[in-house]
Amino acid sequence: MNRTEWPLWEVFIRSRQGLEHKHCGSLHAADAKQAIQMARDVYTRRQEGVSIWVVASNAITASDPDDKEALFDPMADKIYRHPTFYELPEELKHM
Amino acid sequence: MAGHYGSSEHIEYLLRLGDNALVLGQRLAEWCGHGPALEEDVAMANIALDLIGQARLLYAHAGRLEDCGRDEDAIAYLRDPPEYRNATLAELPNSGVASAGAAQGDYAVTTARNLIFASYHCEGWRALATSSDRDLAAIAAKSLKEARYHLRHASDWTIRLGDGTEASHRRMQRALDSLWPYTHELFETDAVETAVAHHGIGIESASLRPSWLAIVRPILTEATLAIPGDTAFRSTGKLGRHSEHLGYLLAEMQSLARAYPGAQW
């Protein structure tokens, strides 16, 4: 008997309120069509979504965790990039 | 004229619909924790819960029409096998007819049965969505959406397994061959159906067979499966004469409710 595992898929769900698809997990499926079907069964049972994307996990290129310091630490001392230093006009009360 | 709103035929008809859904749902629920893959395990439980939900609505409606104090739980848990009105096909074990009693379910059998029932339910619910019984029409409209998804799931797997490996093709064909004789009962029209059809409440199920075949045939063809020949065998579950398998299914399903009458979560 052939015991080969089905390939892995990353699942993205767009919620009723949201505009963007958010990553919510992964699953095994034989192909993209089946992955959509299974994502419906596994990840939308509680009305989480109105749209599903699936992406083959091996199609994703990820940053290397070992590069974390080089990639992200230089931003730590550049707080002026946050828009928190602007003086807001009086009229704008709810920013 | 028999078969009017609230008549015994009307109630009997609702019980047939409800029992098909509940018994098939209970069978599918047996896959919970035993599915061939986690994703399929969840899918079977989802489909089972859709079916059990349909049964609840039908039982509650039948109980109200009957007006003798039975609620959905009493109808589900306190009837013995001869009082059940599901087609025999629904109660056959997941391991199949030939290897009944085997501990393990056969996914080809489940797939073939789901294909047969989902397509049957799609046609049946579509017709019943215009029932003169407005509660039944509403249940049918809701159930049709669910049945459409069940059909998609079952046809997808039928094609994958039928047109898959040599072994999966062989098992799928064997499952189909073993279940096909039980499909005839689904389309047997009797006095109950004729009576409710006369009042626009139900349908004569014989009228569904051409459109059912029109759904099933292209799927089986794409799955490279041969459509089995028709036989004279007629199962009689919907008349209350069941196979030996229903008693075991009900014993397991009803044991808690009977041991602790009126138990609540």
Side-chain angles (χ1 to χ4, degrees):
Chain A
M1 195 172 179
N2 190 356
R3 281 280 178 195
T4 317
E5 277 271 17
W6 290 329
L8 193 64
W9 301 81
E10 301 301 322
V11 179
F12 299 80
I13 304 279
R14 181 159 76 80
S15 74
R16 215 168 280 272
Q17 292 88 12
L19 287 174
E20 78 282 49
H21 288 70
K22 283 188 182 161
H23 184 240
C24 63
S26 56
L27 50 74
H28 291 277
D31 59 28
K33 185 183 161 207
Q34 191 181 65
I36 290 273
Q37 194 134 306
M38 288 174 160
R40 180 265 191 193
D41 282 320
V42 177
Y43 289 111
T44 67
R45 298 189 308 137
R46 300 179 186 87
Q47 296 189 299
E48 288 91 340
V50 291
S51 170
I52 302 171
W53 287 354
V54 292
V55 178
S57 302
N58 63 12
I60 291 177
T61 308
S63 61
D64 186 340
D66 290 341
D67 290 343
K68 208 175 98 200
E69 289 176 13
L71 288 177
F72 307 115
D73 283 1
M75 270 66 94
D77 60 352
K78 299 180 180 64
I79 53 169
Y80 47 81
R81 288 180 178 167
H82 292 275
T84 50
F85 294 90
Y86 294 97
E87 299 261 327
L88 288 180
E90 274 294 300
E91 305 84 74
L92 277 176
K93 287 192 165 60
H94 300 294
M95 278 294 278
Chain B
M1 174 77 197
H4 57 86
Y5 189 89
S7 62
S8 60
E9 291 84 6
H10 185 183
I11 292 164
E12 172 91 359
Y13 187 72
L14 293 173
L15 290 180
R16 288 180 181 181
L17 296 171
D19 290 347
N20 273 344
L22 183 66
V23 172
L24 182 61
Q26 176 72 11
R27 276 291 181 231
L28 293 180
E30 289 174 12
W31 282 108
C32 191
H34 303 277
L38 179 146
E39 293 82 356
E40 276 304 298
D41 199 291
V42 179
M44 279 308 109
N46 279 349
I47 293 174
L49 286 170
D50 284 345
L51 292 166
I52 293 166
Q54 295 167 9
R56 289 185 61 184
L57 295 171
L58 290 159
Y59 289 161
H61 181 38
R64 281 191 299 271
L65 289 180
E66 188 183 63
D67 198 24
C68 58
R70 286 203 299 181
D71 63 1
E72 57 188 87
D73 283 346
I75 292 174
Y77 294 131
L78 303 179
R79 282 181 305 151
D80 290 331
E83 296 165 90
Y84 263 75
R85 295 291 183 260
N86 58 283
T88 304
L89 178 63
E91 75 210 30
L92 298 177
N94 290 335
S95 53
V97 192
S99 36
Q104 282 228 314
D106 180 342
Y107 218 62
V109 170
T110 283
T111 299
R113 175 164 52 191
N114 281 358
L115 176 74
I116 291 164
F117 261 113
S119 45
Y120 178 68
H121 280 150
C122 276
E123 287 309 292
W125 294 132
R126 204 155 55 91
L128 290 173
T130 56
S131 168
S132 63
D133 172 354
R134 291 174 61 180
D135 289 289
L136 178 56
I139 295 168
K142 172 195 184 284
S143 305
L144 176 59
K145 288 187 209 166
E146 295 169 342
R148 281 200 182 120
Y149 180 76
H150 303 170
L151 177 58
R152 209 166 106 179
H153 187 271
S155 53
D156 193 58
W157 274 108
T158 300
I159 293 163
R160 281 174 198 278
L161 294 175
D163 191 16
T165 65
E166 199 190 315
S168 72
H169 175 86
R170 191 181 63 241
R171 287 176 62 173
M172 211 43 226
Q173 185 68 58
R174 189 179 59 190
L176 191 64
D177 289 346
S178 69
L179 297 180
W180 196 261
Y182 292 89
T183 62
H184 293 293
E185 184 192 351
L186 302 176
F187 307 103
E188 288 278 290
T189 288
D190 66 353
V192 170
E193 287 185 3
T194 303
V196 290
H198 179 76
H199 290 268
I201 291 170
I203 42 170
E204 293 188 321
S205 52
S207 67
L208 297 177
R209 192 154 195 265
S211 53
W212 174 76
L213 273 173
I215 297 178
V216 169
R217 191 178 282 125
I219 296 167
L220 295 180
T221 303
E222 192 177 342
T224 71
L225 294 166
I227 297 179
D230 294 334
T231 55
F233 173 76
R234 292 293 180 271
S235 53
T236 51
K238 73 177 172 190
L239 305 177
R241 294 197 296 274
H242 291 279
S243 71
E244 67 271 32
H245 308 294
L246 182 65
Y248 294 98
L249 179 145
L250 293 183
E252 185 176 17
M253 186 184 82
Q254 299 178 332
S255 64
L256 191 141
R258 291 195 183 214
Y260 303 94
Q264 296 279 328
W265 281 107

